[in-house]
Amino acid sequence: MSAVTEGDMSPWATAIHQLVQWVGNGRTLTTTGQLRVADGLELVQLLGTGDDPHGGAGGQRRLSSSRNLPVLQGLLTGALEAGLLRTQRGRLIPVKKYAQQAATAEGVRRLLVANAHRSAQAALAPEAAPPDLGRVRLAALWAELARNRETPLVASELASMLWNTSAPGNGAIEQTQASGVRADERIEFDEVVSWVLLDYAHLGLVAMNADQTLVQLTPTGSREYDECLAPTAEASSS
């Protein structure tokens, strides 16, 4: 299983940094709030997204909307969700609050990682879950990855471990019985864990094999745990 080597920057974070730099002081959007086609095609080349310039239509058919450039749309969504960009009065503009971080690829990566942690914590606990369940499950996920830094973990077994991880004062079996959990809810949870791991893989924190059944911390992910997550977990438990 290939992993990101020491010092490598996530291509995803690098591309989002380049996107933010391209936006500069702002870019005009279409009346439907999309990037203009010409701008979208320029970004496909600039960022090397690999999107089909014909929008997947084949032949020489002209691209009708930048919405048909899925990788570019994913990068744009990532920048918006992380708070690096926003839309205002028909324009795509940078968020001044994060101007300093947005100036460097590493600063952008840190913002994206922070957003990934927030999203993962929310995703790992349903709305009716006990307080702190998402935080507890996220901590358990990273602790398990850190304990097995040299060994790839089976993603489905990792999901099973998280499913049975409970918030303080709530047994996993009691939670399951009380909520009437169905088999399809467990399947949905496995999918959520897969999405969480893929988000981290995009940021170079974990590496996954081609069929996404195995996962392992990268050197970058190990640093993230040792420098940021482990101290936080220790402070919370003390």
Side-chain angles (χ1 to χ4, degrees), residues 14-26 43 47 75 79-80 84-85 93-95 98-99 102-103 108:
T14 299
I16 289 180
H17 172 246
Q18 292 175 324
L19 170 60
V20 173
Q21 295 304 302
W22 175 87
V23 169
N25 293 325
L43 285 168
L47 307 181
L75 292 168
L80 290 166
L84 287 159
L85 299 174
I93 61 175
V95 176
Y98 297 122
V108 167

Side-chain angles (χ1 to χ4, degrees), residues 29-60:
L29 299 173
T30 67
T31 56
T32 58
Q34 304 296 321
L35 289 169
R36 294 181 297 187
V37 169
D39 287 341
L41 292 175
E42 179 184 344
L43 285 168
V44 166
Q45 294 297 317
L46 176 66
L47 307 181
T49 67
D51 283 316
D52 183 347
H54 304 293
Q60 298 301 313

